[in-house]
Amino acid sequence: MCEMVMRSLTPSTPEELAEGLAAAAAAGRRIRLGGAFSKSSMGGPISDADVCVSTQNLNRLRQYEPRDLTISVEAGMPWRELQNLLAENKQMLPLDPPFASQATVGGVVAANTSGPRRRQYGGVRDFVIGMTFATLEGKLIQTGGMVVKNVAGLDMGKLMIGSYGTLAAIATVNFKVIPAPARSLSFCRRFETVDEVFNARDEILRSVLQPSAIDILNPAAAERIGQEGWLLLLRAGGNAALLDRYARELSGFETIEGEAETALWQSIQEFTPAFLDDYPLGTVVRVSSSLQQMKLLAGTLSVPLVARAGTGVGYAHFTKPEEAGEWASRSKGQEWKCVIDFAPESHKEYLMLWPDPGPELATMQRIKQMFDPNNLLNKGRLHGRI
Amino acid sequence: MIPEAAKSKLIELLGNRGYLDRPEDLVLYEYDGSVDKHRPDMVVFPRSTEDVVAIVKIANEYNLPFVGRGAGTGLSGGAIPRAGGLMISFSRMNRILEIDLENERAVVEPGVVNLDISLAVQAQKYFYAPDPSSQRACTIGGNVAENAGGPHTLAYGVTTNHVMGLEAVLPDGSVITTGGKGPDCPGYDLTGLLTGSEGTMALVTKIIVRLMRQPEVVKTILAIYDSAEDAGATVAEITAQGITPVAVEMLDGVMLGMVEEATQAGYPMDAAAVLLIELEGLREAVEEQVEQIRAACTACRAREFRVAKSAEERELLWKGRKNAFGAVGRVSPFYYVQDGVVPRTQIAPTLRYIQEVSERYGLTISNIFHAGDGNMHPIILFDARKPGDLEKAQRAGEDILRFCVSVGGSITGEHGVGMEKMELMSDLFSDDSLEMIARLKRLFDPDCRLNPGKMLPTGRGCMEIRQKPLVPGSFVY
């Protein structure tokens, strides 16, 4: 939440949000923008600010017609509340972001957080169908709409997803939603070596099975959830016959259901927050790589690694910020890319959070310049570079 | 007009077979799949990113507007050179550069035909999901520009959900790469911003696409109705039941007649509407869904429910669907396709409204569309040789799109705004929102040379082309 020392704004309508931003920007005030600020340790350093703007009171349901499979909410709605609304109608938004119990919808979108089931369902960019955002000029900009297929105008929402609030303030978000499967079943198998676990993953990828999640944990990560060895974790949803089929085809796997299943995925979804609680100097590197490159990277890591092994995102959890910085810097000039997603505030100034931005950074900086010419909004939050 | 000096530089760059500038050749590049036309002054055929960079630099040196073009199958005038100038055709940049199955990716040049990606990997049981009806001809570059859809995007998502990274030449001649083989690349999602920017911000020269594993089982169902509204109601019922088909297409009675005469695909000639429903996945899931769909169709008074018995039968049904526009051409030499989208619960009222519009203007309007996601394609038949008929068709189209907006929908689901629906953008977006689009366009293209006069209402774009779109063009065929 906003600290007491700062002037704080908690607008309760999109218009108030836009007016507040415009007034602050016009006065040349530096702005810290967030929802519940549950992910303050994520992204770039928190710069000094004169005004703190929180969307926490901008938290209403705007529109939900379950038969249209779409929902529109204000940015400050707690993520959990959105999940509950959908669950009442047997629908879901299977993003599984970390910090889910404190996060707001806008924060999940602005930080582009997601979880295990994105193998099947995709990430934030695949669910957002429309958005309203407030600019520093005090304008409310609409993009997309309330239909699942729409190419009218530029897809400006894509710019906001993962922008850490550096461009504008997300005011409302429209999502497409998914009918929740009737039942869920999960599978776990332990392997001795990195080769074995990734070979097993490759077999799943080549098969006709369509698990919603394909995660690999290295032994250090497995230990943190009370397991050992290299773990391959799968999740499937559907009717009883379908899940029986999965159980047959995955005969070497241990099946996990009911409360144990919920607990397992909860521990995976909140793996990073739990790690950061345990290690005040905890530093987490996020890797974007090809599926095969992920295997090579996994082989070089002895710290806890949670890999979305069917997607190509991995999270390496270091206890020493310097080691994380050194490892992340290896991405320079490589096809795989990484950023330091979480680091202690005290170390963010000197760590290269985004080691190798590439020439497209110039284009991104021009976009930032257009939205925020005086660099007032969440300065440096995009991994220290913007 | 292209100055001689610019022309010589382009010829020197591309060779004698790398350009077209005779009127009889240029006339083939003045139109796309929609009704608007404008002729380029010269068409150039780059073979590499370096060629594109050099062309863009020459265009800048001589202050020439330029427009990218794939196969010209677009349906909103996206690839039409409104201001004349250079047309950059990507038809010779048509190599699949890399097929990387173990990473579920392919890297392709923009001129690769959509279907060719799936054909290149089908033996290994993979496919590229977005499947516009023109997929035998349309190119990936055009698909990226328009964020193309297709029947199966209901379950799999549209082009933007399958494009992981781009290489693009910006209007100043610089080259950027965005995204990569992995997701969540650091920084702003430029890939997502450029996909669907209708060729107004960058010329895409390389595309990393996602490949998917073919499903184990595919079932195709034909549900036949005596009332189009019952068919529309079925779509809402399927959604309400939580069933997730990969495609739900609707064809109305007028369309069925035209399609069946052209394709002999086995569609009923006497029905008011059919739904073509496809289910994919593991056998156990699909078998259950077939029964759930049967129940939903029966509850909504379907008179017949057929499951295709063989791959041949299935392919024939799809051939009929995908060649529908060709079938219309056999009956009516001129037609105007619309692309409105409505929330799924509004399909039945929208169909009623379209019928009213048809009666009001005295024009036959046939419906074939992606019912599962509410993406309507009313096809308005007219005769351009009859004075005033085209204008009537355009007014009917606008009425329908305004209705779509009024029930919470959009003016385009997959065809793009282009030059066709520019003026309707004000019905959908506030002035501030349109201005933001214009500013982003100008950020990429400050001199407004790339594909000018598109997407934004007259007076809101960065360069003014005050004349209305040139319709129906230089000839009446």
Side-chain angles (χ1 to χ4, degrees):
Chain A
M1 296 295 150
C2 295
E3 294 152 37
M4 296 304 284
V5 290
M6 259 190 282
R7 182 194 297 249
S8 77
L9 291 180
T10 51
S12 54
T13 65
E15 291 73 21
E16 275 178 36
L17 174 65
E19 285 160 18
L21 287 176
R29 296 203 178 95
R30 298 163 299 172
I31 304 159
R32 182 180 303 168
L33 168 67
F37 296 92
S38 63
K39 291 180 277 290
S40 292
S41 59
M42 195 178 184
I46 307 284
S47 306
D48 290 337
D50 308 306
V51 186
C52 176
V53 178
S54 163
T55 56
Q56 59 181 317
N57 288 344
L58 191 58
N59 54 12
R60 283 170 295 255
L61 171 67
R62 297 178 69 236
Q63 200 181 329
Y64 179 31
E65 169 50 77
R67 290 178 308 152
D68 285 333
L69 290 173
T70 56
I71 190 166
S72 176
V73 299
E74 290 179 341
M77 174 180 278
W79 181 258
R80 214 166 34 178
E81 194 180 322
L82 173 61
Q83 294 298 99
N84 292 341
L85 273 171
L86 296 172
E88 285 167 17
N89 289 284
K90 294 187 182 151
Q91 295 181 343
M92 62 177 187
L93 203 47
L95 286 173
D96 311 333
F99 303 95
S101 58
Q102 306 106 54
T104 61
V105 170
V108 168
V109 172
N112 188 22
T113 47
S114 61
R117 283 182 290 176
R118 73 178 283 180
R119 162 66 188 174
Q120 182 178 8
Y121 298 109
V124 176
R125 78 195 294 283
D126 302 301
F127 282 100
V128 172
I129 55 170
M131 202 185 276
T132 314
F133 54 85
T135 67
L136 294 187
E137 294 158 346
K139 314 267 194 207
L140 277 174
I141 307 298
Q142 322 147 255
T143 176
M146 273 300 273
V147 283
V148 295
K149 212 165 157 194
N150 190 355
V151 295
L154 279 183
D155 191 353
M156 296 184 281
K158 292 283 193 296
L159 278 181
M160 300 298 139
I161 298 167
S163 68
Y164 290 83
T166 55
L167 296 175
I170 298 169
T172 67
V173 190
N174 309 341
F175 295 99
K176 68 172 184 179
V177 302
I178 306 259
R183 296 176 54 192
S184 173
L185 189 60
S186 293
F187 304 87
C188 174
R189 186 166 178 179
R190 184 187 306 159
F191 296 86
E192 293 300 317
T193 66
V194 62
D195 283 339
E196 285 171 14
V197 73
F198 276 91
N199 288 345
R201 184 242 5 214
D202 286 345
E203 231 173 89
I204 303 287
L205 292 178
R206 283 192 299 265
S207 77
V208 292
L209 299 181
Q210 299 167 323
S212 57
I214 306 177
D215 274 12
I216 287 177
L217 272 61
N218 72 354
E223 200 184 320
R224 282 196 54 84
I225 61 162
Q227 304 266 351
E228 56 185 59
W230 288 87
L231 296 184
L232 178 56
L233 300 170
L234 308 175
R235 185 170 184 179
N239 63 38
L242 180 69
L243 296 183
D244 284 349
R245 165 85 181 276
Y246 272 93
R248 274 199 312 280
E249 301 240 348
L250 299 168
S251 55
F253 286 67
E254 178 196 346
T255 57
I256 304 164
E257 56 194 319
E259 281 173 25
E261 185 188 28
T262 309
L264 169 70
W265 291 112
Q266 177 70 16
S267 68
I268 302 291
Q269 183 173 348
E270 298 297 340
F271 189 96
T272 296
F275 177 85
L276 295 173
D277 278 348
D278 289 350
Y279 297 97
L281 291 181
T283 303
V284 182
V285 179
R286 186 186 87 215
V287 181
S288 299
S289 87
S290 70
L291 301 177
Q292 298 304 320
Q293 181 69 39
M294 187 62 77
K295 170 180 162 182
L296 302 178
L297 294 172
T300 70
L301 281 164
S302 53
V303 301
L305 169 73
V306 176
R308 302 271 106 84
T311 306
V313 194
Y315 303 89
H317 297 73
F318 293 83
T319 51
K320 299 194 177 87
E322 298 76 13
E323 276 180 25
E326 192 280 321
W327 193 84
S329 69
R330 294 186 204 170
S331 67
K332 283 188 183 169
Q334 303 292 321
E335 212 178 57
W336 55 283
K337 299 178 181 179
C338 69
V339 288
I340 296 178
D341 237 359
F342 297 88
E345 196 58 37
S346 53
H347 290 65
K348 282 185 178 174
E349 287 300 340
Y350 75 86
L351 281 173
M352 275 296 209
L353 300 178
W354 180 358
D356 192 24
E360 63 270 28
L361 179 64
T363 304
M364 295 177 192
Q365 284 166 332
R366 284 168 55 213
I367 293 172
K368 166 71 173 175
Q369 170 84 18
M370 189 189 106
F371 279 92
D372 179 14
N374 298 315
N375 204 4
L376 299 172
L377 191 58
N378 274 5
K379 182 183 173 190
R381 291 285 283 141
L382 196 62
H383 297 105
R385 297 276 185 176
I386 288 178
Chain B
M1 284 301 291
I2 311 279
E4 280 307 317
K7 198 176 270 186
S8 335
K9 282 190 184 173
L10 289 164
I11 295 170
E12 190 185 335
L13 174 74
L14 301 166
N16 282 329
R17 296 176 61 79
Y19 74 99
L20 293 172
D21 67 346
R22 293 183 306 185
E24 60 269 37
D25 290 326
L26 295 177
V27 77
L28 298 174
Y29 291 85
E30 69 178 17
Y31 60 92
D32 65 358
S34 62
V35 294
D36 297 324
K37 293 181 183 182
H38 202 288
R39 208 177 292 178
D41 294 309
M42 186 174 180
V43 184
V44 290
F45 298 90
R47 291 184 179 276
S48 64
T49 304
E50 293 71 33
D51 282 352
V52 178
V53 169
I55 291 165
V56 167
K57 287 188 171 162
I58 293 170
N60 284 334
E61 189 183 342
Y62 292 92
N63 196 21
L64 302 171
F66 51 98
V67 179
R69 184 177 174 101
T73 56
L75 290 163
S76 58
I80 290 178
R82 270 198 90 176
L86 282 181
M87 174 172 278
I88 303 174
S89 166
F90 286 98
S91 55
R92 291 181 194 168
M93 285 178 70
N94 62 349
R95 289 171 301 171
I96 296 177
L97 299 172
E98 186 187 351
I99 289 174
D100 184 2
L101 291 181
E102 55 177 14
N103 287 316
E104 302 178 344
R105 301 287 181 265
V107 184
V108 304
E109 291 186 327
V112 169
V113 169
N114 172 297
L115 186 62
D116 284 351
I117 301 181
S118 289
L119 292 177
V121 295
Q122 71 173 7
Q124 289 79 35
K125 298 195 178 304
Y126 283 80
F127 71 110
Y128 173 66
D131 61 337
S133 293
S134 55
Q135 69 179 148
R136 290 172 188 280
C138 68
T139 63
I140 295 294
N143 291 175
V144 170
E146 301 295 333
N147 191 14
H152 289 79
T153 57
L154 174 60
Y156 297 126
V158 294
T159 301
T160 196
N161 307 109
H162 296 268
V163 171
M164 306 299 298
L166 300 171
E167 176 192 81
V169 177
L170 300 184
D172 65 359
S174 61
V175 179
I176 60 166
T177 58
T178 70
K181 281 191 178 172
D184 288 1
C185 289
Y188 301 135
D189 182 3
L190 299 178
T191 311
L193 179 69
L194 293 177
T195 303
S197 63
E198 303 198 5
T200 64
M201 286 162 64
L203 293 163
V204 170
T205 48
K206 206 180 277 178
I207 301 123
I208 304 174
V209 297
R210 185 156 74 111
L211 300 174
M212 295 180 72
R213 177 68 170 79
Q214 285 173 7
E216 179 184 43
V217 177
V218 181
K219 289 273 184 205
T220 306
I221 294 163
L222 190 66
I224 302 170
Y225 294 83
D226 288 325
S227 142
E229 279 187 50
D230 286 344
T234 305
V235 179
E237 180 64 18
I238 288 171
T239 310
Q241 298 291 327
I243 314 164
T244 51
V246 293
V248 180
E249 300 286 300
M250 181 168 157
L251 290 75
D252 73 5
V254 180
M255 182 53 72
L256 287 170
M258 294 190 283
V259 164
E260 193 53 23
E261 276 185 15
T263 321
Q264 289 92 47
Y267 286 106
M269 301 278 274
D270 62 339
V274 301
L275 289 178
L276 180 63
I277 302 168
E278 194 144 275
L279 300 163
E280 291 184 359
L282 287 171
R283 179 170 298 108
E284 289 78 1
V286 170
E287 279 172 359
E288 184 191 42
Q289 285 175 343
V290 169
E291 291 318 308
Q292 289 171 327
I293 299 260
R294 186 195 302 271
C297 293
T298 310
C300 293
R301 294 174 292 279
R303 88 171 187 219
E304 203 183 329
F305 184 89
R306 290 188 205 153
V307 182
K309 289 180 195 66
S310 63
E312 291 71 34
E313 198 179 330
R314 174 178 171 265
E315 271 163 28
L316 206 53
L317 287 171
W318 276 109
K319 190 177 162 201
R321 164 62 186 93
K322 292 209 170 179
N323 291 339
F325 289 172
V328 178
R330 287 163 48 105
V331 177
S332 173
F334 301 94
Y335 61 89
Y336 186 44
V337 186
Q338 271 306 347
D339 181 37
V341 196
V342 295
R344 288 168 247 236
T345 47
Q346 300 296 324
I347 290 173
T350 307
L351 287 171
R352 266 199 304 276
Y353 182 79
I354 291 173
Q355 182 55 37
E356 276 171 41
V357 169
S358 166
E359 287 159 15
R360 191 184 317 152
Y361 288 96
L363 294 169
T364 302
I365 305 180
S366 168
N367 287 290
I368 180 162
F369 61 97
H370 312 306
D373 40 28
N375 187 186
M376 324 281 291
H377 290 321
I379 299 180
I380 305 165
L381 309 186
F382 68 98
D383 188 345
R385 292 162 297 198
K386 270 197 218 159
D389 227 34
L390 170 71
E391 290 71 20
K392 230 164 47 171
Q394 286 177 316
R395 280 206 306 280
E398 286 190 10
D399 285 358
I400 292 168
L401 292 184
R402 291 214 159 91
F403 181 84
C404 292
V405 173
S406 75
V407 296
S410 171
I411 56 172
T412 175
E414 54 185 10
H415 295 173
V417 176
M419 55 199 284
E420 182 202 48
K421 291 181 281 284
M422 287 164 43
E423 307 304 335
L424 289 167
M425 285 289 277
S426 310
D427 287 27
L428 207 52
F429 295 111
S430 67
D431 289 354
D432 288 339
S433 306
L434 295 174
E435 174 58 18
M436 184 58 81
I437 293 174
R439 283 168 72 186
L440 282 161
K441 150 81 174 164
R442 284 197 295 267
L443 187 75
F444 279 76
D445 182 23
D447 299 315
C448 213
R449 293 199 185 97
L450 178 56
N451 207 3
K454 305 286 171 74
M455 202 198 273
L456 291 165
T458 308
R460 299 209 159 273
C462 56
M463 187 168 96
E464 277 325 306
I465 299 170
R466 293 221 173 261
Q467 76 227 47
K468 283 282 283 177
L470 305 176
V471 284
S474 41
F475 298 106
V476 173
Y477 299 101

